[in-house]
Amino acid sequence: MSDIIKLLPDAVANQIAAGEVIQRPASAVKELLENAIDAGSDTISLVIKDAGKALIQVNDNGFGMSETDARLSFERHATSKIKSADDLFNINTKGFRGEALASIAAIAQVELKTKVEDNDLGTQIIIEGSEVKEQEVCNCSKGTSFSIKNLFFNVPARRNFLKSNPVEVKHIIEEFQRVAMVHAEIAFSMYNNGNEVFNLNKGSFRQRITGIFGDKINQKLVPVTENTDIVTVEGFVSKPEFAKKTRGEQYFFVNDRFIKNAYLNHAVQNAFDQLLSKDQFPSYFLKLTIDPSKIDINIHPTKTEIKFEDERAIYAIIRTAVKQALGKFNISPTLDFEQESSFNVPLLKSTDSIKTPSIKVNKDYNPFETKTVAPEVKKQSTENWESLYSSFEKDSAEIIEHQEKKGEQQVISPQWDEEEEVKQTLLQLHSKYILTQLKSGSLIIDQQRAHERILFEDFSKNLEQGKGNTQQLLFPETIDFTTADAELLNELNTEIKNLGFDIDKMGKSSFVVSGVPTELNEQNVKKILEGLLEQFKLNESELKLKKHENLAISMARSASIKSGKNLSYEEMKALVDQLFACEMPYSLPNGKPTIITLNLEDLNQQFDY
Ligand code: ADP
Ligand code: MG
């Protein structure tokens, strides 16, 4: 047989790559805005027509490109932002992959005009489906202008896949806001079909937030600041009384990049503690500054997720910072030293009576105590939780409405109506997931992670209280361990007993187990103990967890129901029941999701209702 492998032509390779980088007009908007910021611009405008399907234009006054760079910018892996792999650990720009322009040019008709300060004339390039149609000099001002016309003109399947104009515009606005919000030092404007949507002057972070969400938000903001060696936190949270029933305005930025992080979100939510009920969500706008070598932004093509080296410490710092900010706010509710005079929100209306400040101080509170790192484990009422399936408040529908991207995880706080009872749908998929239905959509639960979360909370409590529940074995088992494992078992003897094991040493490296934690049911004791030790060692070397936390995590991992196990209806029901009785049902201690939601409206939309 003759050779059949061929290298793909660049245009085809770019088109394939484009699928990952440019999913919809909003993705192109994000890339172009970020490029404009990386170019040091201080004025950026965005013009869209027909929800970006006909035109996306971004104009900036940044440093522009030379003729050669202008041409090169459309090549794949062409970037001015990193030079070597080492630079990946010190990224100070938005872009670095050098694939956005190549991708966009593969699937659209692109016109670029750009000029550097020192030249009299600029360069104009027209490129369509990766093919350069025209390149000439042009008369333009310093900076760059990209016009993207007819996105996906040569990929009809993609174009047909786009949602209605209002939905696509919503996505574009969302991207615009995320980028503009954290760059208050740059003036941004946006026009949709000739109408001005935003016109944001340069100013402070507070001014930018009010520019985007309206002046009314100003009085709701409580400033947050914290400066540590690990991270600097700066920004605002909403006052508790303005908390929302939907998870709307929640923004984390890390080194000026918008990110999503369920774990850090929990830190903020947790800082509000008693101030909010379970169904209320604070708004927040928090900028974190971290040494770029301590984060990894290189894990997702659209880059809203990043990895932190020090996630737990950051959790604690954010929680503390927000708590302190709220504490200060309680002391002086009407005095806001950060108030900027350009807002016409009076500090005190003359008719307001001046309240005696009330001071709430938690004497036990010690910001340096690391106990706050791990979310505390509290059991909450499990009564009637299943009626959560019967009703989600209208608000919850809005909560998940934001969830458009497949696989995107959204944490929701279920609301239930005790009057209504509806039979619960539970369906196991691929021996791995449990599908269940809500009024406003569906939940998919990962069976193994769900069980791990449940066990983690149980075992943490047992360790904390120093006693787990033991089920005696009918026939005690003698187990031989490797010398190293036997050593470790000796060392962890007390804790292992506290987990609920009835275990005694019998000779050099043998142990006799007469009872096991009740959580284990009838599982293979030897396998569980070996799995526990294995996981414990791994966590110790990689995560440097505290002993208790490590043990609870390792034990939960080792003893959990695994993917691949078929579950009966009753087993699924018990699992889901217990999951929602957990303090933090939505994720594992490492932040990985246990549940994802599918919004009914999205489904309807996909079926074109
Ligand atoms: P990346 O941003 O990852 O480097 P892009 O494909 O987005 O990759 O852009 C490629 C290169 O084109 C950038 O590295 C930059 O040198 C140049 N470039 C893109 N947009 C602009 C702009 N608005 N102003 C100046 N240079 C730009
Ligand atoms: Mg870029």
Side-chain angles (χ1 to χ4, degrees):
M1 192 171 133
S2 58
D3 298 338
I4 52 170
I5 297 179
K6 290 194 181 69
L7 283 177
L8 289 175
D10 275 354
V12 180
N14 286 341
Q15 203 170 324
I16 294 170
E20 231 187 273
V21 187
I22 309 296
Q23 284 124 6
R24 52 176 12 136
S27 343
V29 165
K30 171 174 187 262
E31 295 297 338
L32 295 178
L33 290 177
E34 291 190 343
N35 279 346
I37 293 169
D38 284 345
S41 317
D42 73 354
T43 305
I44 299 174
S45 68
L46 166 67
V47 177
I48 58 168
K49 295 220 166 97
D50 193 17
K53 296 168 185 172
L55 174 74
I56 299 167
Q57 186 180 69
V58 171
N59 309 300
D60 71 46
N61 63 351
F63 47 62
M65 285 179 269
S66 71
E67 194 183 340
T68 320
D69 281 355
R71 177 64 196 82
L72 256 182
S73 69
F74 292 107
E75 293 297 323
R76 199 134 65 100
H77 309 308
T79 180
S80 53
K81 299 170 194 174
I82 58 172
K83 295 193 171 62
S84 71
D86 287 347
D87 294 345
L88 277 176
F89 303 100
N90 188 22
I91 288 180
N92 293 309
T93 53
K94 307 273 175 206
F96 59 87
R97 294 162 177 267
E99 44 186 28
L101 291 181
S103 298
I104 293 172
I107 49 155
Q109 297 153 345
V110 180
E111 188 184 303
L112 160 65
K113 285 184 182 171
T114 186
K115 189 180 93 68
V116 292
E117 178 121 62
D118 298 340
N119 291 357
D120 292 336
L121 289 171
T123 308
Q124 170 171 345
I125 294 179
I126 295 177
I127 180 164
E128 282 182 23
S130 300
E131 217 179 290
V132 179
K133 298 280 178 190
E134 199 182 300
Q135 169 157 5
E136 51 191 35
V137 289
C138 74
N139 218 329
C140 48
S141 47
K142 178 206 157 207
T144 302
S145 160
F146 276 102
S147 298
I148 313 300
K149 294 178 188 155
N150 302 318
L151 196 67
F152 302 125
F153 80 104
N154 53 354
V155 201
R158 277 259 160 195
R159 199 169 169 89
N160 295 337
F161 184 73
L162 293 178
K163 303 253 168 79
S164 66
N165 280 7
V167 174
E168 293 301 339
V169 169
K170 193 184 112 196
H171 283 289
I172 292 175
I173 288 180
E174 217 167 70
E175 289 296 354
F176 177 89
Q177 288 179 339
R178 289 170 180 178
V179 171
M181 193 178 314
V182 74
H183 287 285
E185 76 286 1
I186 301 175
F188 281 94
S189 56
M190 171 175 170
Y191 299 84
N192 179 17
N193 292 331
N195 302 318
E196 182 182 291
V197 185
F198 290 104
N199 193 350
L200 306 167
N201 298 325
K202 290 188 207 178
S204 66
F205 189 34
R206 190 191 266 267
Q207 283 169 324
R208 181 52 53 91
I209 294 169
T210 58
I212 290 175
F213 294 108
D215 279 355
K216 270 205 190 122
I217 200 169
N218 184 40
Q219 55 174 322
K220 305 180 184 176
L221 302 177
V222 183
V224 179
T225 48
E226 183 68 76
N227 220 324
T228 70
D229 287 347
I230 299 173
V231 61
T232 303
V233 185
E234 197 205 328
F236 303 92
V237 294
S238 60
K239 295 177 186 169
E241 68 259 38
F242 295 113
K244 299 193 147 195
K245 290 257 168 156
T246 61
R247 182 177 274 286
E249 291 139 14
Q250 302 194 324
Y251 295 87
F252 274 122
F253 302 95
V254 172
N255 297 350
D256 292 345
R257 188 188 295 276
F258 172 82
I259 63 140
K260 289 185 185 160
N261 189 310
Y263 183 63
L264 298 187
N265 171 64
H266 182 268
V268 180
Q269 188 86 30
N270 192 283
F272 276 80
D273 215 16
Q274 310 299 329
L275 299 171
L276 297 181
S277 65
K278 279 269 166 197
D279 61 334
Q280 290 183 305
F281 300 98
S283 300
Y284 56 81
F285 313 88
L286 294 174
K287 298 203 268 189
L288 314 185
T289 311
I290 305 177
D291 175 351
S293 69
K294 302 270 193 262
I295 55 175
D296 181 0
I297 50 183
N298 197 15
I299 54 175
H300 197 270
T302 48
K303 295 170 274 180
T304 51
E305 291 151 32
I306 62 174
K307 280 199 242 162
F308 300 92
E309 196 177 284
D310 247 340
E311 199 173 45
R312 282 163 179 275
I314 295 171
Y315 180 102
I317 293 164
I318 291 179
R319 186 172 173 276
T320 308
V322 174
K323 256 182 180 275
Q324 276 170 350
L326 291 170
K328 266 191 219 151
F329 154 72
N330 272 346
I331 293 166
S332 52
T334 43
L335 285 183
D336 182 351
F337 298 106
E338 275 218 1
Q339 188 95 26
E340 261 125 336
S341 52
S342 63
F343 298 117
N344 43 14
V345 182
L347 282 176
L348 266 180
K349 284 194 245 104
S350 53
T351 50
D352 281 349
S353 61
I354 298 178
K355 289 189 214 135
T356 319
S358 65
I359 303 176
K360 276 196 202 153
V361 180
N362 176 359
K363 290 200 210 73
D364 301 331
Y365 182 64
N366 173 1
F368 302 105
E369 195 174 65
T370 45
K371 205 175 100 227
T372 54
V373 174
E376 290 140 70
V377 180
K378 268 184 266 146
K379 261 276 182 279
Q380 76 191 55
S381 162
T382 60
E383 273 177 1
N384 286 331
W385 79 266
E386 54 271 70
S387 40
L388 112 86
Y389 291 96
S390 59
S391 170
F392 244 110
E393 273 196 355
K394 232 178 56 240
D395 288 330
S396 307
E398 289 169 37
I399 295 168
I400 15 194
E401 188 196 289
H402 296 285
Q403 225 185 314
E404 306 269 351
K405 264 190 254 151
K406 247 202 294 171
E408 188 173 321
Q409 144 208 21
Q410 187 88 36
V411 183
I412 48 164
S413 180
Q415 280 274 304
W416 57 80
D417 177 347
E418 286 172 31
E419 267 134 49
E420 256 182 275
E421 280 260 73
V422 170
K423 192 177 179 316
Q424 198 171 322
T425 310
L426 287 170
L427 182 68
Q428 194 182 21
L429 304 172
H430 309 290
S431 311
K432 185 171 184 194
Y433 300 111
I434 300 168
L435 177 68
T436 185
Q437 180 188 324
L438 307 168
K439 213 172 187 180
S440 54
S442 310
L443 296 182
I444 302 178
I445 297 169
D446 183 311
Q447 66 186 47
Q448 178 170 343
R449 289 190 188 169
H451 198 214
E452 271 187 57
R453 161 52 70 182
I454 297 163
L455 292 177
F456 168 73
E457 296 200 0
D458 267 358
F459 290 133
S460 302
K461 196 180 74 204
N462 294 348
L463 287 168
E464 200 179 300
Q465 299 175 346
K467 64 172 175 35
N469 297 322
T470 306
Q471 184 182 350
Q472 292 302 321
L473 295 176
L474 218 46
F475 306 103
E477 249 182 77
T478 306
I479 306 174
D480 295 324
F481 290 92
T482 63
T483 322
D485 278 359
E487 261 320 294
L488 187 56
L489 264 180
N490 276 336
E491 198 184 302
L492 297 174
N493 195 274
T494 318
E495 287 82 7
I496 299 263
K497 284 191 166 141
N498 289 344
L499 282 171
F501 283 100
D502 186 351
I503 185 168
D504 288 299
K505 200 161 184 206
M506 268 249 316
K508 222 171 145 238
S509 52
S510 301
F511 288 77
V512 60
V513 182
S514 338
V516 296
T518 45
E519 288 88 350
L520 295 195
N521 296 322
E522 301 131 40
Q523 300 186 46
N524 182 330
V525 186
K526 180 167 193 272
K527 232 167 118 185
I528 299 247
L529 274 171
E530 281 174 352
L532 163 68
L533 297 175
E534 194 55 39
Q535 192 65 41
F536 184 88
K537 286 182 281 189
L538 193 75
N539 288 349
E540 192 166 50
S541 62
E542 288 194 352
L543 302 174
K544 310 211 164 41
L545 297 176
K546 290 245 187 66
K547 202 174 182 184
H548 275 189
E549 200 178 5
N550 186 354
L551 267 172
I553 289 175
S554 305
M555 189 60 195
R557 168 66 52 86
S558 179
S560 59
I561 293 171
K562 298 295 181 292
S563 298
K565 184 175 186 324
N566 292 328
L567 301 177
S568 67
Y569 183 88
E570 284 67 32
E571 286 173 316
M572 287 193 273
K573 180 149 169 33
L575 196 67
V576 177
D577 278 13
Q578 289 172 27
L579 179 64
F580 280 98
C582 283
E583 170 77 1
M584 283 189 60
Y586 303 102
S587 58
L588 290 180
N590 65 10
K592 292 230 168 100
T594 50
I595 301 173
I596 63 165
T597 61
L598 289 177
N599 180 5
L600 184 57
E601 272 182 27
D602 278 353
L603 279 181
N604 288 341
Q605 221 163 38
Q606 297 217 20
F607 281 103
D608 200 18
Y609 279 106

